[in-house]
Amino acid sequence: MMQGDEAGSDTPAIAQGTSNPQPGQPFVAVSADVRELYNYSWHAAPEQYLEAAISGAGVFPLVVPSFGDRLDLDQLLSAVDGVLITGSGSNVHPSLYGGDECEANGPFDSSRDSTALPLIRKAIEQQVPLLAICRGLQEMNVALGGTLVTEIQELPGMLDHRAPSSDRRDERFAIRQTLTVKSGSYLSTVLGADKVNVNSVHRQAVGRLAPQLQVEAVAEDGTVEAVSVRNSRCFAIGVQWHPEYWVGSDEPSARIFRAFGDAVRARAARRVRLVRAAE
């Protein structure tokens, strides 16, 4: 990837970082699901993530279509200063982590898999701030060599982490679970606490943790609820819950998005300085 003074004079402005001249609302790439609706295939992200990106992190979310290796992700990461991997109703295809393809593991979205997983790896390699939520955390673990377990509520000694049965979204996303945050972890610094109350809307979880990740928080039954990238020099966090839903009213949720936004703006400011120094 070419940035700032590493870019030649014939490099387009977007690759030099000048597409983001002001660090106040820098661009953030957002993962997209592929859905069939009205006889069309749609590449889209739920509004709650986009709203949280704007109001909670103060960034400009750009939804990235899920076209896999047809996309130049290096070019994308030269034009944005953060990556947000959203949650979804679909699951990572088990063939990507040695699992068995069955109805319990679905539904799947292979187009998203083929885009989000390499985007996660490249964001980490290139030190682009990364926030991965719910399915995003699971993608983060698989992208780096970890595995997943499904229907965890059926395993001995495990809690039911699925959403409460309700037609009301606020009830489905109700804050109802207490997590223990690892002392001295990056997340504990962000939250300013070693306990946090969160919502829980998942039936899959981390199985074998990827070697490049470390645990940041766990549920009462030991389920991994947050991870970070080992030795990362920038924000690189995955959470299993949904801070985006309550970002406007819950302080821990707001803290996560503010920290992500601050990391994104810091990268944008560094890129602007590099471009100006090269002029």
Side-chain angles (χ1 to χ4, degrees):
M1 180 177 94
M2 292 187 291
Q3 293 181 10
D5 56 359
E6 297 174 354
S9 59
D10 59 345
T11 305
I14 193 170
Q16 290 180 313
T18 54
S19 60
N20 257 344
Q22 299 299 324
Q25 197 182 45
F27 295 147
V28 165
V30 181
S31 59
D33 298 324
V34 180
R35 295 286 186 269
E36 296 298 322
L37 183 65
Y38 306 130
N39 292 320
Y40 292 98
S41 291
W42 294 74
H43 294 238
E47 182 177 352
Q48 66 193 54
Y49 298 94
L50 305 178
E51 175 61 40
I54 297 168
S55 62
V59 300
F60 191 132
L62 299 175
V63 179
V64 179
S66 290
F67 285 110
D69 60 10
R70 295 171 63 191
L71 302 178
D72 186 338
L73 297 181
D74 290 316
Q75 181 180 9
L76 171 67
L77 291 176
S78 75
V80 303
D81 288 293
V83 172
L84 174 61
I85 307 294
T86 70
S88 175
S90 66
N91 293 321
V92 179
H93 199 280
S95 64
L96 297 171
Y97 56 88
D100 297 323
E101 181 179 354
C102 61
E103 186 176 351
N105 279 332
F108 306 119
D109 185 345
S110 294
S111 294
R112 170 164 167 157
D113 292 340
S114 69
T115 310
L117 270 65
L119 178 56
I120 288 168
R121 286 191 287 265
K122 284 183 176 291
I124 291 170
E125 290 168 3
Q126 298 181 24
Q127 295 291 314
V128 178
L130 169 68
L131 174 57
I133 295 174
C134 198
R135 187 196 208 266
L137 178 148
Q138 295 168 15
E139 288 170 308
M140 193 174 174
N141 192 50
V142 172
L144 298 176
T147 65
L148 304 177
V149 291
T150 191
E151 304 303 335
I152 55 176
Q153 71 279 354
E154 298 177 0
L155 301 177
M158 302 300 286
L159 299 173
D160 190 343
H161 292 264
R162 294 174 298 179
S165 179
S166 175
D167 293 330
R168 297 187 65 244
R169 192 175 300 173
D170 283 0
E171 291 179 359
R172 289 178 55 79
F173 283 89
I175 293 175
R176 60 187 179 86
Q177 179 174 276
T178 300
L179 308 183
T180 299
V181 182
K182 183 179 178 182
S183 178
S185 66
Y186 183 80
L187 188 60
S188 70
T189 301
V190 169
L191 298 176
D194 58 6
K195 297 283 185 180
V196 61
N197 295 322
V198 303
N199 48 30
S200 187
V201 192
H202 65 102
R203 58 189 177 88
Q204 292 202 145
V206 169
R208 184 183 70 250
L209 187 68
Q212 200 173 341
L213 297 179
Q214 57 191 5
V215 175
E216 296 272 322
V218 296
E220 294 176 3
D221 60 1
T223 298
V224 174
E225 292 283 342
V227 299
S228 65
V229 175
R230 295 181 185 275
N231 303 316
S232 176
R233 299 192 303 275
C234 73
F235 187 104
I237 293 287
V239 297
Q240 187 61 75
W241 69 96
H242 289 267
E244 84 287 347
Y245 192 83
W246 298 107
V247 71
S249 59
D250 175 61
E251 180 60 20
S253 298
R255 281 174 176 257
I256 290 172
F257 272 88
R258 283 201 301 267
F260 176 57
D262 288 346
V264 171
R265 277 183 290 279
R267 184 176 188 271
R270 286 195 299 271
R271 293 208 301 144
V272 169
R273 288 196 297 269
L274 285 172
V275 170
R276 289 175 178 169
E279 291 175 348

